[in-house]
Amino acid sequence: MHLLFRIFPMVAGERCPRRKSGCAAVDALTAALARLLLRLRAEEPRYAARGGQERYDVARRRLEAACHTDALFRAVHALQSGRGDAGDLAIRESFLAESVHWHLARSAPGTRLVVVAHNNHIQKTRIDFGGPLTTLPMGHHLARTLGSDYRAVAVTHTADHVPEMVLDARRTVGFTVADTPLAPPEPGSVEAALIDAGLGGRITLTDLRRPPRDTDGEPLPNRIRSQSATLATPVPAAFDAVLATPTVTRDPSVPF
């Protein structure tokens, strides 16, 4: 993974030789990962006999993670360059959903898993910020396969600022985190509803399973903050509940 993080910021910063198919180092990495994964699958009996099935399964899953990460970085770079397809962003989301099933399959019957992730990953509805940023998130895949056994709890806030990702090719991960001012919450949003109800200064947990509706019969709220943006989506369809706090701060342990 460290190799992936070192190579792709170079691509984003245009600091490596470019070809039509991309940076030669990245192409070589992609080919090597694909070949290694195919070999690992083909040699499963031998590897499992030598090190045990569990160790083989973990090694294969980690290699699959590396392949998906490689493909996602390529997709993000292509999208930022105006040459990509937003559908490729779902590569990570389907892998995340498959990983949940991977762990469930190796757990005792009746096991419950708690997955902590960004709202955009856990939501059940399609991610759509307008333009090219549209994809099917992990939560959509899990809701499709697990049905009512999958519950999504969003986290938001009513503050007037938020830590935001800012692209920076000088950073090892390709971005930095900077505190960003926010406009007042949009009408129809979770945050606006909490403030209007006099709850903006409190920690709240809102049950969305029996939502109010607008004059057209559509469920409310229909918007929720997503970092410094606002995501337009039927929130009760995307989440089962929303946990809101009055403040949000940057994690001091984040090194970039």
Side-chain angles (χ1 to χ4, degrees), residues 12-227:
E14 304 295 337
R15 295 203 296 269
C16 64
R18 297 304 307 276
R19 303 182 308 173
K20 184 176 181 179
S21 60
C23 175
V26 177
D27 290 343
L29 175 63
T30 299
L33 287 172
R35 180 183 178 189
L36 184 58
L37 179 57
L38 291 174
R39 180 186 176 113
L40 191 66
R41 288 173 176 171
E43 295 281 319
E44 177 178 351
R46 186 162 66 90
Y47 290 131
R50 179 182 298 175
Q53 188 66 46
E54 182 178 357
R55 292 181 64 193
Y56 168 83
D57 290 343
V58 171
R60 174 171 165 172
R61 196 60 187 159
R62 288 175 175 174
L63 182 53
E64 289 170 344
C67 290
H68 280 78
T69 302
D70 171 41
L72 177 69
F73 281 173
R74 279 184 172 273
V76 171
H77 178 245
L79 201 64
Q80 292 288 340
S81 304
R83 299 179 289 102
D85 186 328
D88 290 340
L89 298 180
I91 291 171
R92 171 173 56 178
E93 304 303 320
S94 62
F95 176 80
L96 293 174
E98 290 166 2
S99 294
V100 172
H101 285 290
W102 190 91
H103 285 286
L104 284 173
R106 288 160 177 78
S107 302
T111 295
R112 295 184 178 185
L113 295 183
V114 177
V115 180
V116 181
H118 193 291
N119 287 350
N120 292 158
H121 293 304
I122 68 170
Q123 72 182 66
K124 304 175 188 180
T125 55
R126 183 182 66 175
I127 300 172
D128 188 353
F129 285 103
L133 291 180
T134 303
T135 193
L136 297 176
M138 171 187 69
H140 180 87
H141 293 285
L142 291 177
R144 181 171 175 266
T145 55
L146 296 177
S148 60
D149 285 340
Y150 175 69
R151 300 295 185 182
V153 180
V155 177
T156 189
H157 64 91
T158 53
D160 60 0
H161 63 94
V162 69
E164 178 59 285
M165 297 167 59
V166 180
L167 294 179
D168 186 346
R170 297 170 299 177
R171 301 287 182 172
T172 304
V173 296
F175 66 89
T176 187
V177 177
D179 200 54
T180 303
L182 295 175
E186 294 185 11
S189 68
V190 173
E191 300 80 14
L194 291 171
I195 292 173
D196 291 345
L199 299 172
R202 297 171 57 183
I203 297 175
T204 59
L205 179 63
T206 303
D207 186 347
L208 298 173
R209 289 173 294 182
R210 290 175 292 276
R213 296 183 179 271
D214 62 19
T215 55
D216 296 324
E218 297 298 323
L220 292 171
N222 53 32
R223 285 170 171 74
I224 187 170
R225 281 176 166 174
S226 180
Q227 294 170 220

